Amino acid sequence: MSCFLRCYLVGAAYNTRGLQHVWLAFAMEPGRIALYPDAAERDEVFARYLKLYNTHFFWTPLLVGLFLSLEEKIAQGLAPAEMLDNVKTTTAFTLSAIGDTFFSASIMGLWGLSAACLAASGRYGLLLGTAAGLFLAVQIFKAVTFHKGYREGFAVLRRLKRWDLV
């Protein structure tokens, strides 16, 4: 739960060197502590998350869940540590592009136009209700994708492909 809640801060330390990498490392910290009791080993794992990372903020919980799932396999010796870098780079940038086009351009653009129309027509109650409903829907989306990313691991990526968001 701590990892999930920390996902909300992923853009707080955005920088030109690693983009969102600082808060990704911060979001992963409770998982690292649970998986790697040895401090020296934990520091080595920490370095994996201080490399370039950037994705759409709606996808961050899914990716943190997926990375936790993969990190468990790495800790158990079932997957090589190098696998994380490949997965992180491929999935983060792919989902970033999908998030920018689907969520930011389509859904948020439609919401902005709808909100302007509702406000201009004086339907403030409907505007407030729609805003609250959409806000709740986004929070549910984030919680469900985090859970699915953690529980299903790579299988969640096949499920996303079937959504055909592109």
Side-chain angles (χ1 to χ4, degrees):
M1 185 58 115
S2 294
C3 290
F4 170 71
L5 292 175
R6 290 175 178 214
C7 291
Y8 283 92
L9 301 172
V10 77
Y14 191 88
N15 61 68
T16 56
R17 182 170 177 241
L19 304 178
Q20 299 170 338
H21 72 297
V22 172
W23 282 95
L24 174 65
F26 179 72
M28 295 298 295
E29 185 178 11
R32 286 185 306 106
I33 290 170
L35 292 170
Y36 301 99
D38 179 42
E41 191 176 15
R42 204 168 38 241
D43 289 343
E44 185 179 310
V45 172
F46 183 70
R48 288 200 283 259
Y49 294 96
L50 289 179
K51 296 176 182 169
L52 182 68
Y53 171 80
N54 188 46
T55 198
H56 192 275
F57 54 95
F58 283 11
W59 290 123
T60 296
L62 170 82
L63 290 175
V64 168
L66 177 64
F67 298 158
L68 280 172
S69 175
L70 182 55
E71 200 63 63
E72 276 186 347
K73 289 176 178 50
I74 293 169
Q76 295 168 357
L78 301 174
E82 299 80 30
M83 187 177 207
L84 181 70
D85 282 335
N86 296 334
V87 170
K88 188 170 74 163
T89 303
T90 304
T91 57
F93 291 120
T94 302
L95 291 178
S96 181
I98 292 171
D100 289 344
T101 56
F102 182 75
F103 293 115
S104 293
S106 299
I107 302 296
M108 292 172 86
L110 178 62
W111 161 243
L113 291 172
S114 300
C117 290
L118 289 171
S121 66
R123 297 183 179 185
Y124 301 113
L126 185 56
L127 174 63
L128 184 61
T130 304
L134 288 173
F135 180 78
L136 181 62
V138 168
Q139 305 322 306
I140 291 170
F141 175 81
K142 289 181 176 185
V144 168
T145 56
F146 174 81
H147 177 74
K148 294 294 182 185
Y150 179 67
R151 292 288 178 207
E152 295 179 16
F154 289 119
V156 77
L157 298 176
R158 284 190 288 271
R159 182 189 307 249
L160 280 180
K161 185 178 179 184
R162 285 185 300 214
W163 288 4
D164 197 24
L165 296 176
V166 175

